[in-house]
Amino acid sequence: MNWYQQWARPVFFSGMLGDAEQVHQRSLAAIAWLDRTRFLGIPDSIAQFCQFHDPRLTQTLWGIEFPNPVGLAAGFDKDGEGAGLWDAFGFGFAELGTVTYHPQPGNPKPRLFRLVADEAVLNRMGFNNAGSAALQTRLAERSHPFSIPIGINLGKSKITPLEAAAADYVGSFERLQDLGDYFVVNVSSPNTPGLRSLQARDQLEPIFAALQTANTSQKPIVVKIAPDLADGDILDVVAIAQDYAIAGIIATNTTIRRDLTTTHLAQTGQAVTAEAGGISGRPVRSRSTAVIRLLWQETHGTLPIIGVGGIFSAADAWEKITAGASLVQLYTGWIYQGPLLVRQILTGLLAQLDTHNLPNFEAAIGSELPYR
């Protein structure tokens, strides 16, 4: 992986190709173009380098077979532009979005910042996306089926009042329910005013009830929670999820805490503590793992957990899996470590199965076995 960290990443992070958001957009545009054109068989070459297959790493969840437990987290491909190429990078599943019922431009720029000293990203994107109708059209017009499961992350439109949130989520779900393998209720982004208040019981229950009523296809619906919730509030979410037959929990979204080495943003000249937005990457790793462990212990492993937050290595992924995660997701770690990270994690996980004499990946979930 040194070639990426020594050569490619310094260019991407240098500002030569634009700020963090511009680099992201250009990278995604290139991935989308390769997905459409399959130019010179490059996707097949990417797959040769990045993919890793072993039947012991497959995972069946909600009746869906995941070829491996490492997925792309929501936020990278909001509008599904590169959806058909994520398997080539080795991912076992990909989560598109966050998508909202109404198209929206998101928050003012600049709104995406790398905190290199912390191996973190600060973002206040604000659910910028083309809307669920556009995503519906893009996915419906694909000529080839996906080779990995596709999740769709649903958010509330900024213009929709909080009291109308349920209808907003349902509107997007009804457009997309036949096009995704599972769906995520995102009520935990810090970048839409009031959104995190929807994690409270009286706000969350109407959303779950409305979605399950609309769920004629019986698709798995999960909820994504914030790492900043108190443990008691997390347990309230668990109780509501169980009451409404929610299929699982994603732990966790970005944090609003500022336990960082970085003190100021060079792009704005402001103190990080004065900047709005959520932090992803290393700073959220320990808390997200603690939330996973709490969820696993509270539910005795009966409510599947997708672990996300600060995964930069096989050891980080193993930590979350053995704490109770059935699947894990990458975003910030992938940006910092490079496109071979998925393969490195998968080979590392397989080595741990051998080290601990485990027959398959499922046997590691919640085991609390150390990484050796």
Side-chain angles (χ1 to χ4, degrees):
M1 296 180 69
N2 287 339
W3 67 269
Y4 175 83
Q5 295 173 19
Q6 291 181 3
W7 302 104
R9 193 177 79 180
V11 173
F12 293 150
F13 283 24
S14 68
M16 294 168 53
L17 302 178
D19 66 15
E21 183 173 356
Q22 290 170 322
V23 171
H24 181 98
Q25 290 173 334
R26 288 169 178 163
S27 300
L28 185 57
I31 290 169
W33 179 74
L34 285 173
D35 184 22
R36 291 193 309 271
T37 65
R38 301 281 149 170
F39 183 69
L40 296 178
I42 291 175
D44 294 331
S45 298
I46 293 173
Q48 287 182 348
F49 283 101
C50 297
Q51 288 183 344
F52 179 81
H53 301 285
D54 190 285
R56 286 175 291 174
L57 294 175
T58 61
Q59 166 77 313
T60 300
L61 201 61
W62 312 310
I64 302 167
E65 183 172 307
F66 294 80
N68 71 64
V70 181
L72 179 72
F76 198 100
D77 191 1
K78 296 175 186 291
D79 293 312
E81 297 172 80
L85 204 64
W86 297 122
D87 63 325
F89 285 100
F91 289 106
F93 64 107
E95 193 171 302
L96 310 181
T98 298
V99 64
T100 55
Y101 184 78
H102 298 285
Q104 55 188 44
N107 292 325
K109 300 177 182 179
R111 56 193 182 181
L112 186 66
F113 310 91
R114 304 184 200 96
L115 311 181
V116 178
D118 295 283
E119 291 187 298
V121 168
L122 185 153
N123 100 80
R124 48 169 176 262
M125 302 297 286
F127 291 167
N128 56 306
N129 73 104
S132 55
L135 181 58
Q136 177 188 27
T137 299
R138 174 172 281 121
L139 295 180
E141 289 180 348
R142 286 191 60 86
S143 57
H144 300 290
F146 294 110
S147 62
I148 56 174
I150 297 295
I152 300 178
N153 188 296
L154 307 176
K156 183 191 76 69
S157 306
K158 186 174 183 179
I159 64 172
T160 300
L162 289 173
E163 58 269 21
D168 193 271
Y169 283 102
V170 168
S172 291
F173 178 73
E174 289 178 334
R175 286 171 171 168
L176 297 164
Q177 70 169 309
D178 294 329
L179 299 167
D181 293 294
Y182 73 90
F183 290 83
V184 182
V185 182
N186 187 343
V187 287
S188 50
S189 169
N191 300 318
T192 296
L195 187 76
R196 285 190 167 194
S197 69
L198 297 178
Q199 293 172 110
R201 174 180 286 272
D202 61 337
Q203 300 290 323
L204 202 51
E205 285 184 327
I207 296 171
F208 286 170
L211 283 168
Q212 292 294 37
T213 298
N215 190 12
T216 56
S217 300
Q218 297 298 297
K219 293 295 177 74
I221 297 175
V222 305
V223 61
K224 188 169 188 175
I225 63 173
D228 308 307
L229 287 176
D231 288 356
D233 294 327
I234 291 171
L235 298 184
D236 280 345
V237 173
V238 169
I240 302 166
Q242 292 171 327
D243 289 344
Y244 287 90
I246 295 303
I249 294 180
I250 299 183
T252 61
N253 213 318
T254 57
T255 181
I256 57 174
R257 293 179 63 88
R258 295 291 190 266
D259 302 326
L260 302 166
T261 299
T262 304
T263 58
H264 288 76
L265 293 183
Q267 298 92 326
T268 67
Q270 299 296 315
V272 174
T273 53
E275 296 282 2
I279 301 288
S280 61
R282 290 276 190 205
V284 78
R285 188 192 76 187
S286 295
R287 177 55 182 167
S288 72
T289 302
V291 172
I292 291 165
R293 184 172 290 111
L294 175 65
L295 292 169
W296 173 265
Q297 292 171 349
E298 175 68 15
T299 64
H300 306 289
T302 60
L303 189 66
I305 303 160
I306 300 178
V308 57
I311 298 176
F312 283 66
S313 66
D316 295 335
W318 183 256
E319 177 185 69
K320 285 180 166 45
I321 291 160
T322 57
S326 295
L327 301 167
V328 294
Q329 293 178 324
L330 310 179
Y331 184 155
T332 304
W334 200 59
I335 293 170
Y336 275 89
Q337 300 295 91
L340 294 181
L341 178 59
V342 178
R343 183 185 180 97
Q344 182 258 327
I345 289 174
L346 295 175
T347 57
L349 293 179
L350 190 62
Q352 291 304 299
L353 297 186
D354 291 338
T355 296
H356 295 286
N357 296 312
L358 300 178
N360 52 44
F361 170 80
E362 190 172 358
I365 299 170
S367 67
E368 295 287 3
L369 291 167
Y371 186 87
R372 293 176 179 164

